[in-house]
Amino acid sequence: MAIGVVMGILPTFGLGIPLAILFSIILKANRVSAVVGSMIMNPWTTPVFWGTSYFIGSLILGKKAADTLRDISNLRSSGNWSAVLGKEILVPYIFGNIAVSALFGITFYFISYELVKAYRIVKMKRRMKRLHHEDL
């Protein structure tokens, strides 16, 4: 799951699912889980991850939060999209995106690990109960 989440959040330009499958094969992880994890990036979450990545990256690079929010607002209202390819937006976005994808990857790793563990315990208890009833 974590592999897919990281590949989904990183700017892979449409290659998130194939990369998630490739890395899950290399790391001998579950491919289906990696594909499901990569779907964290979708039309509804993309703006959130893009904005968060830029914001976090700006903070990492030492920009004040108020200045970063003002820049985002100015970009939206001015339509000055040439700045996107410059260091004003691209560099903070990349730094932030790496941090955000790592944080979400680690978080989803532990969440999915605990969910799988709980599922296996429930499944084992049902099996033990069934075997106990068959013995009677």
Side-chain angles (χ1 to χ4, degrees), residues 103-128:
L103 176 68
F104 273 82
I106 291 166
T107 302
F108 271 81
Y109 170 80
F110 286 110
I111 290 171
S112 61
Y113 178 82
E114 291 300 322
L115 288 173
V116 168
K117 192 166 76 171
Y119 170 78
R120 287 181 177 173
I121 289 171
V122 168
K123 188 175 175 182
M124 183 181 67
K125 285 181 180 179
R126 286 182 184 161
R127 186 176 199 190
M128 295 299 286

Side-chain angles (χ1 to χ4, degrees), residues 35-54:
V35 169
V36 170
S38 70
M39 292 180 187
I40 191 168
M41 187 64 92
N42 58 60
W44 297 285
T45 61
T46 297
V48 173
F49 283 119
W50 285 355
T52 304
S53 294
Y54 174 70

Side-chain angles (χ1 to χ4, degrees), residues 41-134:
M41 187 64 92
N42 58 60
W44 297 285
T45 61
T46 297
V48 173
F49 283 119
W50 285 355
T52 304
S53 294
Y54 174 70
F55 185 75
I56 298 295
S58 294
L59 295 178
I60 289 170
L61 295 174
K63 203 171 196 181
K64 293 180 182 175
D67 294 338
T68 300
L69 292 173
R70 186 188 68 243
D71 290 348
I72 292 171
S73 178
N74 289 342
L75 179 65
R76 251 185 28 178
S77 62
S78 73
N80 182 11
W81 293 101
S82 64
V84 170
L85 298 177
K87 66 178 182 175
E88 298 87 13
I89 294 185
L90 186 61
V91 172
Y93 170 77
I94 290 173
F95 274 89
N97 193 263
I98 291 168
V100 169
S101 63
L103 176 68
F104 273 82
I106 291 166
T107 302
F108 271 81
Y109 170 80
F110 286 110
I111 290 171
S112 61
Y113 178 82
E114 291 300 322
L115 288 173
V116 168
K117 192 166 76 171
Y119 170 78
R120 287 181 177 173
I121 289 171
V122 168
K123 188 175 175 182
M124 183 181 67
K125 285 181 180 179
R126 286 182 184 161
R127 186 176 199 190
M128 295 299 286
K129 190 175 181 180
R130 190 178 71 238
L131 289 173
H132 178 71
H133 286 297
E134 288 176 3

